Amino acid sequence: MILIADSGSTTCDWLLVDNSGNRIVKQTTPGINPVMFGVEEIERRIREATDILIHSDKIGEIYFYSAGCGLIANRNLIFEVLKKIFTKGKVEVQSDLVAAVRATAEGPSIVCILGTGSNSCFYDGYKIHLGFDSLGYSVMDEAGGNYFGKQLLRDYFYKKMPPELSIKFSNNFEVDTEKVLLHLYKKPMPAQYLASYAKFIFDVGTDNLYIHNLLEKGFEELVEFQLQLWKNKKELPIHFIGSIAFFGEEILRKVLERQELKVGTIIRAPINKITTYHLKN
């Protein structure tokens, strides 16, 4: 059997297939990011994949992709925990950008992730090239979920959100000042907390003018800061992974087209495409 796992900071998708690609079981657990969690917490979260673990003795290959695994030390940490749990399988650990490339790119291209955070890379057909070191949600992550969550909270508290949306926002989300401050500055995982507010964008819908403008501004900043790093950006397809890109596709395409950039594949989650990649290779 072959086990594929694709983890962001918020959730981890697990897919177990046989050697012919037939699905055995699929499960979603909390995210497993080695930047945010230590060994004990990572092991606890992996062991939440109980539907997967009952097949552990029969799993021959494990391919684990995660946010935070760009650094060798973090990949090694995940590797050691997986080997402890899946004792009979070959284990490979890679970053979420590698997953995004394997799920979308068939040749030279730029690949972006718009999930809880955001990231991008250039794939030359053989290797992945990083254009910058990400500083995370407090400084970067343009057009990621935590970016939009931050904008929504700011507009709500500055009373820039349209009144009818402000009422809807306060009815559906936590807006008590003390509780918001507690989550942002005292509790763990503030990036995931901010990203949880981004759901409001798609609850309201992209036809709403305020939401449309919010997404447009975020995608424009993605182009201005991240995509500007790639000198060949107008010559290559730009692929996207993640819910923000998937649900905001129409606006994303228009923003990139205005900059004479070519949108390639847009998929919400890469797990099925990664599985296809490994079955072929």
Side-chain angles (χ1 to χ4, degrees):
M1 294 181 183
I2 302 171
L3 175 61
I4 313 291
D6 171 52
S7 182
S9 297
T10 304
T11 60
C12 180
D13 291 329
W14 303 81
L15 179 59
L16 181 63
V17 298
D18 64 21
N19 291 335
S20 297
N22 299 307
R23 180 185 294 190
I24 307 299
V25 63
K26 186 175 183 180
Q27 186 174 4
T28 299
T29 62
I32 300 162
N33 185 333
V35 172
M36 303 169 60
F37 307 118
V39 172
E40 291 183 0
E41 178 63 15
I42 288 171
E43 180 175 346
R44 187 190 71 77
R45 289 178 174 235
I46 291 175
R47 291 192 183 279
E48 288 193 35
T50 53
D51 294 345
I52 301 294
L53 291 176
I54 60 175
H55 301 280
S56 60
D57 288 345
K58 300 176 183 178
I59 298 174
E61 300 174 40
I62 300 102
Y63 300 98
F64 191 95
Y65 300 88
S66 178
C69 280
L71 297 175
I72 293 175
N74 290 343
R75 291 199 297 274
N76 289 341
L77 187 155
I78 296 287
F79 177 89
E80 293 300 330
V81 177
L82 288 169
K83 285 298 292 182
K84 177 181 177 181
I85 297 172
F86 300 97
T87 58
K88 297 183 179 180
K90 180 191 77 172
V91 175
E92 177 183 325
V93 181
Q94 297 286 358
S95 72
D96 55 348
L97 277 174
V98 174
V101 167
R102 289 178 174 179
T104 59
E106 296 183 356
S109 52
I110 295 168
V111 180
C112 299
I113 297 173
L114 299 183
T116 299
S118 70
N119 208 344
S120 59
C121 67
F122 165 57
Y123 177 61
D124 65 10
Y126 300 96
K127 294 182 180 179
I128 292 173
H129 303 271
L130 302 178
F132 62 98
D133 294 322
S134 177
L135 299 178
Y137 78 98
S138 63
V139 180
M140 296 180 172
D141 278 355
E142 297 81 15
N146 62 63
Y147 166 94
F148 286 116
K150 191 186 301 182
Q151 308 307 309
L152 288 165
L153 278 173
R154 187 177 65 179
D155 285 357
Y156 175 82
F157 280 95
Y158 276 136
K159 305 186 189 306
K160 291 184 65 178
M161 189 179 286
E164 69 279 6
L165 291 187
S166 183
I167 293 170
K168 183 179 178 70
F169 190 74
S170 63
N171 287 338
N172 288 276
F173 294 90
E174 180 61 72
V175 292
D176 177 81
T177 304
E178 290 187 7
K179 291 181 179 178
V180 171
L181 288 171
L182 182 66
H183 279 282
L184 290 177
Y185 298 104
K186 296 290 187 180
K187 288 195 172 184
M189 301 189 294
Q192 286 79 355
Y193 172 73
L194 284 169
S196 70
Y197 287 94
K199 182 178 179 291
F200 184 71
I201 291 172
F202 307 109
D203 289 342
V204 175
T206 56
D207 290 337
N208 179 276
L209 181 61
Y210 168 80
I211 295 298
H212 184 283
N213 291 341
L214 188 72
L215 283 170
E216 187 173 59
K217 178 177 178 290
F219 294 147
E220 286 173 347
E221 288 197 11
L222 178 73
V223 174
E224 179 183 358
F225 291 102
Q226 289 196 33
L227 299 186
Q228 60 84 24
L229 292 166
W230 309 113
K231 294 180 181 179
N232 52 358
K233 59 184 177 295
K234 292 189 177 182
E235 304 165 12
L236 299 171
I238 304 175
H239 305 301
F240 291 88
I241 295 283
S243 296
I244 297 292
F246 183 79
F247 289 112
E249 177 176 352
E250 183 178 351
I251 299 168
L252 177 61
R253 286 187 180 276
K254 288 180 180 178
V255 168
L256 267 66
E257 286 169 2
R258 284 202 299 266
Q259 300 293 328
E260 299 179 343
L261 302 174
K262 182 169 64 174
V263 178
T265 301
I266 298 178
I267 59 177
R268 184 178 183 182
I271 189 78
N272 292 323
K273 294 287 187 179
I274 302 169
T275 302
T276 301
Y277 168 88
H278 284 294
L279 289 169
K280 287 182 177 179
N281 293 277

